[in-house]
Amino acid sequence: MFSSNFEGPLLRRSIPFVERWIAELVAAREASLGATKKNATPEESPQAVGVKGTKKDGRAATVAAAAAEKEEASGSSMSKCHFVIGKVLDVRPHPESTKLYIEEIELGEQAGGRRTILSGLQEYVKQDEFINRLVLVIANLEPRKIGGIVSEGMVLCASRTEGNTRDVKLLEVPAGTPVGERVVFDGHDGPFVPVLKKKLAKHFEKVAVDLKTNEKGEVMWGDMPFRTSHGIITAPIPNGVVS
């Protein structure tokens, strides 16, 4: 060990050496890092990794969008609609409307069981004609409020207007048709969409323009009848509109 007489001079002489040594180490380290960055491939550099990740995410988003578009395009508009046979369990006038009925309709397990549906039929259909009746319902429309109450579907009827007179009748579902039976058409029997909301609502709009009754009163989609396991659905209004 050095004596205290040498500690001061030795320390003063050592400081410049240590400082130069540290400076040389720092310079060597910086030179080494510079060489690493210069020789790095684009995939190895942090910026390139970020860009690569962005491109990958972009490709994934593109693939997802293409898959969604394919799903949207697959099947016909009719196959995406859920037309189902229901049974009217209860009908009552809306307390604040002279036009609306509030119906409780059983649609079967696949369609979610019992639903509340509102229809503007007070003017055309007597309450006792509606109760316990089999009806055709479009069951996958997006629920919406009508008169302050959420309606979960639409009961289809036939209508015809002559001059200032409009006639509206409930459709006649063949007796014995099971509640909950889905009405499908050959070549259009793919899986229906659970809820036709937002852009998907256009599928029902496309179908609706071709819903009608023919000269025999048969309910038609274009030139194809609405047929259940027990026969063709009809209406007492021939050559009418179905909506």
Side-chain angles (χ1 to χ4, degrees):
M1 180 177 288
F2 294 106
S3 68
S4 58
N5 292 333
F6 291 96
E7 287 177 359
L10 180 61
L11 183 59
R12 285 193 296 272
R13 289 196 299 270
S14 300
I15 288 174
F17 171 77
V18 172
E19 289 177 343
R20 286 195 303 272
W21 178 62
I22 292 174
E24 289 172 358
L25 287 177
V26 170
R29 176 61 177 165
E30 290 178 347
S32 175
L33 288 175
T36 300
K37 291 180 180 179
K38 183 177 180 180
N39 295 328
T41 63
E43 290 76 15
E44 292 170 335
S45 66
Q47 293 84 353
V49 170
V51 171
K52 184 179 179 183
T54 301
K55 289 181 179 178
K56 184 176 181 181
D57 292 343
R59 287 195 298 271
T62 301
V63 170
E69 186 175 343
K70 183 177 180 181
E71 173 64 21
E72 171 74 8
S74 65
S76 68
S77 289
M78 173 54 83
S79 70
K80 295 181 185 300
C81 295
H82 189 193
F83 289 97
V84 62
I85 303 302
K87 183 174 183 179
V88 181
L89 304 178
D90 185 54
V91 180
R92 61 189 185 277
H94 192 290
E96 299 178 3
S97 172
T98 58
K99 296 182 178 181
L100 294 172
Y101 276 134
I102 303 171
E103 305 117 36
E104 300 296 328
I105 302 179
E106 176 60 47
L107 295 179
E109 184 177 351
Q110 189 178 31
R114 183 167 175 162
R115 294 198 193 181
T116 299
I117 296 178
L118 278 77
S119 305
L121 294 174
Q122 277 198 49
E123 184 180 351
Y124 306 104
V125 180
K126 293 180 180 180
Q127 197 169 343
D128 59 358
E129 293 176 353
F130 214 165
I131 193 76
N132 293 324
R133 189 183 184 105
L134 292 177
V135 290
L136 178 63
V137 173
I138 172 68
N140 60 339
L141 296 180
E142 185 174 16
R144 64 189 184 97
K145 276 191 176 182
I146 302 176
I149 298 174
V150 176
S151 181
E152 303 171 293
M154 183 171 75
V155 175
L156 295 175
C157 298
S159 65
R160 184 174 56 208
T161 301
E162 295 181 355
N164 296 325
T165 303
R166 185 168 187 250
D167 192 16
V168 179
K169 299 291 185 183
L170 292 170
L171 304 184
E172 297 176 350
V173 178
T177 302
V179 171
E181 180 177 310
R182 183 187 177 194
V183 181
V184 295
F185 297 81
D186 289 342
H188 305 274
D189 53 356
F192 60 85
V193 176
V195 181
L196 292 170
K197 58 183 178 180
K198 297 182 179 179
K199 291 183 178 180
L200 292 174
K202 68 183 180 183
H203 291 295
F204 177 64
E205 294 170 3
K206 288 180 179 179
V207 167
V209 298
D210 291 320
L211 299 182
K212 60 187 178 182
T213 58
N214 62 15
E215 66 280 358
K216 298 178 182 179
E218 296 171 332
V219 177
M220 310 290 289
W221 173 53
D223 59 356
M224 293 183 283
F226 273 77
R227 187 186 300 275
T228 75
S229 57
H230 283 62
I232 296 174
I233 299 174
T234 61
I237 297 179
N239 298 318
V241 174
V242 173
S243 60

